[in-house]
Amino acid sequence: MIETKLADLGLNLPEAPRPVAAYRPAVVSDGLVVVSGQLPMREGRLTAEGPVPSPCSLDCARQAARQCVLNALAAVKQALDADLGRLQAVVRLGVFVASEPGFAEQHKVADGASELLVELMGDAGRHARAAVGVLALPLGASVEVELTGRVRR
């Protein structure tokens, strides 16, 4: 279902991202899949760098959050032996936004990720969420998204 919706939206699931440090992109345990923080990487390059709202605008950051979700879903698919259909629901999303002092619209950036999950999964894509402003993110990224989902065994 998710992959059909992706195609309907004209989106492609990228290859699962490779870790940039000593961790696994996703771990399946006790009916959950926990996805490590994903950066807005596309074809090996960051799509959004620097703090929000400058040099990365709010709209740029929202799009970056969507790319992070695509990368997270690719990590889920890899962890589930290429069977993304086993992902039953998204339980929690953590969205980290590199923020300039005074920027307080992290929730609007996070909506880019949340709205895509609902577009792809309907009610199963609705989740608990944290949207957090931070000083800096790995590789200078503007946004990082982590995901926890419930999976069919």
Side-chain angles (χ1 to χ4, degrees):
M1 177 176 128
I2 294 172
E3 293 184 271
T4 301
K5 288 284 192 173
L6 283 166
D8 291 347
L9 294 171
L11 299 172
N12 295 312
L13 209 57
E15 285 187 38
R18 296 185 178 165
V20 297
Y23 62 90
R24 290 171 46 195
V27 174
V28 178
S29 178
D30 293 328
L32 295 176
V33 60
V34 179
V35 180
S36 297
Q38 297 296 312
L39 301 179
M41 302 289 280
R42 185 182 310 132
E43 298 175 4
R45 301 183 63 96
L46 281 173
T47 63
E49 296 181 56
V52 180
S54 173
C56 181
S57 69
L58 179 60
D59 186 57
C60 171
R62 286 176 52 86
Q63 292 302 313
R66 288 173 65 91
Q67 184 63 47
C68 292
V69 165
L70 293 174
N71 293 342
L73 291 174
V76 168
K77 183 176 178 178
Q78 182 180 57
L80 298 178
D81 300 321
D83 186 1
L84 195 53
R86 288 178 53 203
L87 179 62
Q88 295 179 312
V90 176
V91 177
R92 183 184 183 281
L93 208 62
V95 180
F96 303 90
V97 182
S99 301
E100 289 185 338
F103 180 72
E105 296 187 320
Q106 290 82 6
H107 61 288
K108 291 182 180 178
V109 174
D111 281 345
S114 295
E115 291 167 2
L116 178 57
L117 286 166
V118 172
E119 284 181 80
L120 294 173
M121 300 177 68
D123 279 342
R126 294 190 191 283
H127 49 268
R129 182 180 86 185
V132 180
V134 298
L135 179 62
L137 290 168
L139 306 180
S142 299
V143 181
E144 181 174 356
V145 174
E146 63 181 16
L147 180 149
T148 301
R150 187 176 67 242
V151 297
R152 180 174 31 77
R153 295 179 194 226

